[in-house]
Amino acid sequence: MQICDIFEKYESLKDININSIAEQLHTSTRTLNRRLANVDTNFTNTLNCYRLDKAIRLLKNPEISMTEITYQLGFSELSSFSRAFKRWTGDCPTKLHASSINNN
């Protein structure tokens, strides 16, 4: 089972942590950290890459509100999600979401 497959099972990524993921992979946190380091990443980067991918998928669906997207990605506030998305992409999430709404 891959880490992203486990992430998909969560309704919200808010309470996700390396300990619970390692447990679901039937390994120790140390081993999981080592495996991630072997592919030049870490848990935080893996989670953020997943969040970005999921954010883009969700933002393309005009029926999902920005509040719901923020919740699903595990951010406590829309402003926190917006800042993270802008840091990841250089663009505001509302720009992508608005274009999806306008295309429908």
Side-chain angles (χ1 to χ4, degrees):
M1 183 179 284
Q2 299 296 320
I3 292 175
C4 291
D5 294 336
I6 294 172
F7 291 163
E8 278 293 324
K9 293 179 181 180
Y10 285 80
E11 181 179 324
S12 171
L13 299 175
K14 183 177 186 222
D15 297 323
I16 210 162
N17 63 62
I18 192 166
N19 296 326
S20 65
I21 299 301
E23 185 178 307
Q24 291 180 59
L25 291 169
H26 307 289
T27 191
S28 69
T29 302
R30 181 169 160 69
T31 299
L32 179 55
N33 276 324
R34 259 187 277 135
R35 289 180 181 165
L36 290 170
N38 286 341
V39 291
D40 295 323
T41 193
N42 60 45
F43 183 76
T44 301
N45 286 341
T46 302
L47 179 57
N48 284 334
C49 286
Y50 176 80
R51 278 182 166 151
L52 173 59
D53 179 65
K54 185 167 185 167
I56 291 169
R57 285 185 281 134
L58 293 173
L59 287 166
K60 289 181 179 178
N61 184 341
E63 295 179 15
I64 300 176
S65 71
M66 291 293 291
T67 303
E68 178 62 23
I69 293 169
T70 299
Y71 168 77
Q72 284 190 33
L73 296 176
F75 291 94
S76 56
E77 296 180 9
L78 179 57
S79 60
S80 300
F81 164 58
S82 294
R83 280 192 304 275
F85 191 84
K86 185 155 181 120
R87 188 175 60 247
W88 297 331
T89 66
D91 264 333
C92 295
T94 51
K95 186 177 177 182
L96 180 58
H97 197 246
S99 70
S100 296
I101 291 170
N102 293 335
N103 288 335
N104 284 334

